[in-house]
Amino acid sequence: MLLLHRAVVSALRQACRFRPPPSRLCIQACSTNESFQPQRPSLNFSGDNSSTRGWRIMGALLGFGTALAYHDHRCRASQESPPLYTKEEVYSHRSPETGIWVTLGSEVFDVTEFVELHPGGPSKLMLAAGGPLEPFWALYAIHNQPHVYELLAQYKIGELKPEDSAPPTLETSDPYAHDPMRHPALKVNSQRPFNAEPPPELLTENYITPNPIFFTRNHLPVPNLDPDTYRLHIVGPPGGQSLSLSLCDLYMFPKHEVTVTLQCAGNRRSEMTQVKEVRGLEWRTGAISTARWAGARLCDVLAQAGHQLSEKEAHVCFEGLDSDPTGTAYGASIPLARAMDPEAEVLLAYEMNGQPLPRDHGFPVRVVVPGVVGARHVKWLGRVSVEPEESYSHWQRRDYKGFSPSVDWDTVDFDSAPSIQELPIQSAITEPRDGETIESGEVIVKGYAWSGGGRAVIRVDVSLDGGLTWHAADLDAEKQPPRKAWAWRLWQLQASVPAGQKELNIVCKAVDDSYNVQPDTVAPIWNLRGVLSNAWHRVHVHVTS
């Protein structure tokens, strides 16, 4: 509030001595940077109501005086040569100790004093620390208002050097050179191939995960495919007819839509690493996301090619168009019985949240297998066939399998374990963060819960004392049909902090409609690949008096 008072007083003082310009040409002449004009992002995801009210209150406080001060600020800025900074210099200012800088277009701002006043909370603004604001403002359209730009103008300290304002060039010899741009909020686990997850405070902001922050799991470079020449090859049965389908051909099949949560088998692997070293990416709680998918049902396409259910065991094998330097493509498979079941709702998806699939998520076509581990949702789909055995792909036969804690890399026999298909019950806490300091009084705990195979989450239990006592969390109102609960449940608990308590050991566990419940500790389910990590999730926070 002191900062707001300072801004309002300063604005009003400048307004009192302001003299009207002779014409609107003054405003245009003073605008030295077109990038500062309000932008209209193509991806609009509104924030919560509290953030909206916060911005409206702030805009009302700043009022006309701030608008005039902003004009005066820009006019004076145009008459001076602003300091120039490199992107590296901006990136080095991303903590309270160094100062918190951000950029918008080619302009640089020091928002250190504003972080604590940010209506969406300090943690949201800190996600952009040391980098551009645009990707985050694209997620929250509430920022696209004049008073927000006016407020930001007070914190301008300079501009980016011209060479840093231009997009970087890429080395064409690099197999990853043409990978798509990614949202800076994503927490990167590996760059090549690219694997990243959204931060927990953004993960459960929306029931449907915005495309830019949907977790990304790539095994190989992202192919750059031409939708006009793309063809999906469906191998027909003996005596049947193989199909070569263009995107337009796929559009001719009945369009089916379904909301599905995808989860990587390695979600929460980092907790297994704390017990004993494992091999794999250090996923935290964010290797899971939810989208509304649309496309042709796999069963309809297979039937068109002449396939039908068989009494003998059979598998539908998928092959992607991503490949390594040897030409080996990513592949996986699911049982034919699931693929041919209309109630299983397996899709050849070409839309994600009402838009064409982003490149990182399989453009132009991917498989979506509701209730099944993400490894079977093959992206950039190029070939589908029905075989008597499951896919011979490395990722089907030599990965994504669970083993006893006693098995190590000297004794493991991958042929002895089945490939992961349906995943077990899962839940995690997204707010507050581990190590965070909260105020006494009440605490709000948020998170997600999901179970594989279409099993519905019926309850989430939350403890503030490490599991000694429990509270039932409130589940979101999204309805889930029996045996087709393909998407997660977001949950929340508002509870009183016991008087005098200096710390909380918050725990959550979920229960599905088969009464499967998460195990209490990690050690008994530890395995050498760090998959299927679904023990009680624990967060330790400090309490201020």
Side-chain angles (χ1 to χ4, degrees):
M1 293 306 296
L2 289 175
L3 181 57
L4 288 175
H5 178 267
R6 184 189 71 185
V8 172
V9 170
S10 174
L12 291 176
R13 284 175 178 168
Q14 294 180 54
C16 290
R17 63 173 182 266
F18 174 75
R19 294 293 180 270
S23 73
R24 292 186 181 180
L25 293 176
C26 175
I27 297 178
Q28 296 174 358
C30 293
S31 298
T32 60
N33 185 352
E34 292 297 325
S35 68
F36 200 71
Q37 300 301 315
Q39 304 293 312
R40 296 191 178 276
S42 59
L43 295 170
N44 292 330
F45 297 95
S46 58
D48 57 32
N49 292 332
S50 62
S51 296
T52 302
R53 289 194 297 269
W55 280 119
R56 287 174 178 166
I57 292 170
M58 193 169 292
L61 287 172
L62 291 172
F64 181 66
T66 302
L68 297 179
Y70 170 65
H71 173 273
D72 184 68
H73 164 85
R74 295 306 302 273
C75 287
R76 285 185 286 104
S78 68
Q79 298 167 6
E80 304 170 0
S81 297
L84 298 179
Y85 302 100
T86 65
K87 285 185 177 179
E88 288 73 20
E89 287 177 295
V90 174
Y91 184 73
S92 67
H93 292 79
R94 57 186 192 278
S95 70
E97 292 74 26
T98 61
I100 299 162
W101 293 9
V102 295
T103 65
L104 187 69
S106 62
E107 296 184 300
V108 180
F109 305 87
D110 182 348
V111 296
T112 309
E113 292 183 316
F114 180 68
V115 170
E116 292 298 325
L117 294 174
H118 185 249
S123 63
K124 298 293 194 303
L125 183 52
M126 286 300 294
L127 292 171
L133 286 170
E134 287 92 339
F136 301 92
W137 283 19
L139 288 174
Y140 298 101
I142 191 65
H143 295 96
N144 190 30
Q145 299 188 45
H147 67 262
V148 179
Y149 292 87
E150 293 160 6
L151 177 64
L152 182 63
Q154 300 176 63
Y155 300 95
K156 181 176 176 179
I157 58 173
E159 297 187 356
L160 288 172
K161 289 187 175 181
E163 60 268 26
D164 275 347
S165 298
T169 58
L170 296 172
E171 294 294 333
T172 55
S173 60
D174 180 358
Y176 293 94
H178 298 290
D179 270 19
M181 297 292 292
R182 277 89 181 207
H183 198 284
L186 293 171
K187 303 298 183 183
V188 179
N189 289 317
S190 73
Q191 284 284 1
R192 299 168 177 237
F194 186 81
N195 291 281
E197 60 190 293
E201 56 265 37
L202 291 184
L203 182 59
T204 52
E205 279 275 303
N206 302 280
Y207 179 72
I208 298 296
T209 311
N211 289 357
I213 60 170
F214 199 99
F215 91 94
T216 301
R217 177 65 173 111
N218 294 335
H219 296 82
L220 300 162
V222 176
N224 195 6
L225 303 175
D226 182 351
D228 294 329
T229 60
Y230 169 80
R231 294 295 183 271
L232 172 60
H233 299 284
I234 311 293
V235 179
Q241 182 178 4
S242 295
L243 306 177
S244 180
L245 303 175
S246 67
L247 270 179
C248 290
D249 294 330
L250 274 179
Y251 297 156
M252 298 300 292
F253 287 88
K255 185 178 182 180
H256 191 74
E257 296 188 31
V258 60
T259 302
V260 176
T261 293
L262 268 63
Q263 181 181 222
C264 179
N267 192 30
R268 299 179 57 196
R269 177 181 283 127
S270 58
E271 295 165 52
M272 283 196 173
T273 303
Q274 296 172 18
V275 174
K276 185 180 177 182
E277 184 180 358
V278 299
R279 293 184 186 177
L281 297 170
E282 285 288 292
W283 296 107
R284 293 171 288 277
T285 57
I288 183 171
S289 298
T290 299
R292 182 74 174 170
W293 308 92
R297 292 191 304 183
L298 177 59
C299 61
D300 293 339
V301 176
L302 290 176
Q304 182 72 27
H307 289 288
Q308 54 187 342
L309 280 175
S310 171
E311 294 182 357
K312 297 181 180 179
E313 181 181 4
H315 302 261
V316 178
C317 298
F318 307 114
E319 188 174 294
L321 293 171
D322 51 335
S323 61
D324 64 16
T326 69
T328 301
Y330 183 86
S333 61
I334 62 173
L336 176 64
R338 183 183 292 273
M340 293 298 294
D341 182 2
E343 293 299 306
E345 300 186 281
V346 182
L347 293 186
L348 301 180
Y350 45 75
E351 285 185 6
M352 179 180 180
N353 294 332
Q355 300 176 350
L357 294 175
R359 285 185 59 210
D360 258 332
H361 299 292
F363 179 82
V365 177
R366 73 172 299 163
V367 184
V368 172
V369 192
V372 168
V373 65
R376 314 303 168 214
H377 299 234
V378 176
K379 299 188 283 188
W380 313 291
L381 188 63
R383 187 176 187 271
V384 179
S385 64
V386 177
E387 309 292 346
E389 296 187 24
E390 66 178 1
S391 170
Y392 279 92
S393 165
H394 164 85
W395 293 280
Q396 186 80 24
R397 298 282 183 128
R398 293 293 179 267
D399 202 351
Y400 299 119
K401 296 184 176 185
F403 296 94
S404 165
S406 63
V407 175
D408 59 26
W409 288 101
D410 293 326
T411 61
V412 63
D413 177 9
F414 277 96
D415 291 329
S416 67
S419 302
I420 298 171
Q421 294 284 342
E422 298 179 1
L423 286 169
I425 182 71
Q426 176 71 282
S427 73
I429 299 162
T430 57
E431 294 184 49
R433 294 167 295 161
D434 189 46
E436 186 176 340
T437 298
I438 64 171
E439 294 184 0
S440 58
E442 285 192 330
V443 60
I444 296 178
V445 186
K446 297 181 180 181
Y448 64 78
W450 179 78
S451 191
R455 292 178 289 275
V457 172
I458 60 171
R459 194 177 78 240
V460 174
D461 299 322
V462 180
S463 173
L464 304 182
D465 53 18
L468 297 178
T469 60
W470 296 91
H471 309 264
D474 295 323
L475 302 180
D476 63 49
E478 296 289 336
K479 294 183 178 180
Q480 296 185 322
R483 299 174 299 282
K484 296 173 66 174
W486 308 130
W488 61 14
R489 301 293 298 271
L490 302 185
W491 55 264
Q492 178 173 308
L493 174 74
Q494 186 170 348
S496 298
V497 176
Q501 199 76 23
K502 298 299 183 183
E503 59 183 28
L504 299 178
N505 292 307
I506 307 176
V507 180
C508 74
K509 61 182 176 71
V511 183
D512 68 23
D513 60 9
S514 293
Y515 288 96
N516 297 307
V517 65
Q518 295 170 251
D520 60 345
T521 57
V522 175
I525 60 172
W526 182 94
N527 58 87
L528 75 174
R529 276 291 282 120
V531 295
L532 308 169
S533 181
N534 72 325
W536 295 359
H537 188 226
R538 303 169 185 269
V539 168
H540 179 262
V541 299
H542 306 281
V543 181
T544 59
S545 55

